[in-house]
Amino acid sequence: MIMRPSREVGIVGYGAYVPRYRLPAEEVGRIWGGGQAGYPVREKSVPGLDEDTTTMAIEAARNALRRAGIAADELRAVWVGTESKTYAVKPTGTIVAEALGATPHTQAADWEFACKAGTEALQAAIGLVGSEMVRYALIAGVDAAQGRPGDALEFTAGAGGAAYILGPREESLAYCEGSLSYVTDTPDFFRRAHERYPSHGGRFTGEPAYFRHIERAATQLMQELGRKPADYATCVLHQPNSKFPARAGKALGFTAEQLAAGMLVSDIGNCYAGSSLIGLSAALDRARPGDRILLVSFGSGAGSDAFSFVVTEAIEERRNRAPLTWDYVRRRHPIDYGTYVRYRQKLRMH
Amino acid sequence: MRLAPHWRVRAQRLQLRGEVCQCCGERLFPPRDVCPACHQPADKPFAFCGEGTVYSFSTVYEAPKGYERFGPYTIALVRLKEGPLVTAQLTDIDPADVRIGLPVEMVTRVLREEGEDGMVIYGYKFRPVLEREAAREEARA
C-alpha cells in the first residue's frame, strides 16, 4: 500500500501563517452557552477584515521560499489545498503564483478534500518531483474555516496554514520515507454547493470517521516501513479539537511528549486543510537532524494521508531564514464575539 | 465590471515590483519608465524587499466607497528601504499604535471587493515588523 516515488523527494522549504486575532472559546460560550464540560480549545485564530485563504497562502508560501533559498520562477507547480476558496470558480493558485513571482511557467491549481486537501496536494507534489517531471513544486494547506453561529464548530473553526516546497532529497531539510492513503466514502461532514456553512454528523465524526481513518493510515504506514512509535521524535495528527488527536495518538502508542511539538489546536483552533500541515511546520521548527516525524492528516468525506519524514542537517541552517510557527501563534490579539461577527462578516447587511 | 486596469498592475500590487534606472541606479515605485532623477529611460523591473518605515500617516474614519468595511483604518506614507515613498494602508495594527518611524513590512491583503459577484482586488499593505524569536535570541547573544 505504501507509495514511494522513483526519485527520493523531500521538503526543501516550509513556512507557516496564522492571523493575528484570537477568539477565546469562553467568548463563544458567553454568547451561546456550553462549556460546562470544558471547551474543545482555549481560543481560535480569526482572519482580519482584509485576510482570506489567498492572502494566508501567499504569506506561508513566501516563508517557504525564503527557507528553500530558490528563485520563485524555479517552481513548476503552485497548488493550494483548501475548503474556503476565495472564488468558487478561479484558482487561488494563480494569485499565489503571481504574488510569489512564479508565473508564467508553472502549474497552478486548487485541491479539495475537506481538511486533507493540503496533504492530498503534498502527496501529488511528491509524485511530480519524484517522477522527475519537475525539480520543485509548492503546495499549501490553508483555510479560513466556517462555523455556523451557535454550532459546536464555532468554538474551533480557525484560520491559518502552511506551505511546503518539495524537491530532490539531496537538497531537503526533511525527506519522505514513504506515504500512504486510507480513503472510504464516509459522510461525516460536508458543505453543499451555495451553502455558507458546513453540516456535520456530531458524534459520527469521531469513531467511523476521524479515528478509523487516522489510526488505520498510521498503523499501515508504520507497519510497511518497519517502524514503531518509539522510532519517531514527533507525531503530528489532524487537530479538529484538543481531545481527538490526543486520544488517537495514545491509541497508536505515542506519548504526550511525542505529540506536543505539533499540537497547536488549543492556541489557534482547527485550521482545516492547514491543520496537520501547520502542526508539521511547528514540529520542524523544533526538530533536530535525524529526527523522524510521522504526519497523518484527516479529511472528512473521508480519508487520511500518512507520511514518514526524516529530518536532515539542512534544518539547522534554514530554520531561521523565515518566521517560526510560534512567532505567529504568539502574535495574538484577543477580540470579543461582536468583533468576530464583524470580521467574519456573519451579519448580512442586505 | 473593471478587470483590465487591475490586471495591468498585478506585478506592482502583488510583488511590489517597480523599476530601476539603469543610468543612475534610482529605484522607482510605482514603475513609470522614465527616471525622475536623470530623465533617462528606466524600464528594468525591480522587486522591492518590502521593508520600510512609516514616514507619515493619517487615520480614515469616513472611508470612500468600496472601503467602508475596513474603517477606521490608517493610511501611511512608507519610506521603502530602497528609497521610494509609497502610499499604502497599514494593517494588523490599531490606529492608536501607529507612530512615525515605525518599522513595517509589506504583506499582500485584500484591498477591496467589487461587490459580491465582482473581483477581489489584492495588493500591498504594510504591517508592523513581525516579532521573531530568532531575532530576540540573536539580540540576547
Side-chain angles (χ1 to χ4, degrees), chain B residues 25-92:
Chain B
E26 185 85 0
R27 270 83 164 175
L28 316 178
F29 193 91
R32 65 193 77 180
D33 294 346
V34 174
C35 176
C38 70
H39 310 293
Q40 296 302 306
D43 54 4
K44 187 181 177 194
F46 178 82
F48 287 84
C49 74
E51 295 170 27
T53 52
V54 172
Y55 178 81
S56 189
F57 65 93
S58 181
T59 297
V60 176
Y61 292 93
E62 292 296 327
K65 192 165 182 271
Y67 297 86
E68 298 95 331
R69 76 184 173 97
F70 300 110
Y73 57 85
T74 301
I75 289 283
L77 291 171
V78 173
R79 176 70 74 191
L80 296 178
K81 200 174 176 180
E82 296 91 344
L85 207 51
V86 173
T87 306
Q89 192 177 325
L90 299 185
T91 188
D92 290 356

Side-chain angles (χ1 to χ4, degrees), chain A residues 117-156:
Chain A
T119 59
E120 192 81 20
L122 173 63
Q123 214 166 44
I126 290 172
L128 194 70
V129 175
S131 70
E132 302 193 45
M133 273 182 74
V134 309
R135 190 165 187 85
Y136 303 112
L138 181 143
I139 70 98
V142 182
D143 257 311
Q146 310 94 348
R148 190 186 304 278
D151 187 90
L153 288 181
E154 197 171 37
F155 288 103
T156 57

Side-chain angles (χ1 to χ4, degrees), chain A residues 200-261:
Chain A
H200 61 87
R203 290 181 64 194
F204 187 69
T205 60
E207 214 57 64
Y210 179 87
F211 294 106
R212 179 187 173 93
H213 293 78
I214 289 250
E215 289 170 20
R216 295 201 180 183
T219 305
Q220 184 78 28
L221 181 65
M222 285 193 285
Q223 193 179 43
E224 295 202 25
L225 286 170
R227 308 271 178 238
K228 53 189 186 305
D231 295 331
Y232 290 90
T234 306
C235 169
V236 181
L237 305 178
H238 174 58
Q239 300 158 35
N241 53 51
S242 51
K243 281 184 185 166
F244 275 29
R247 192 184 131 188
K250 191 176 174 187
L252 286 165
F254 291 97
T255 64
E257 290 72 32
Q258 286 171 294
L259 297 168

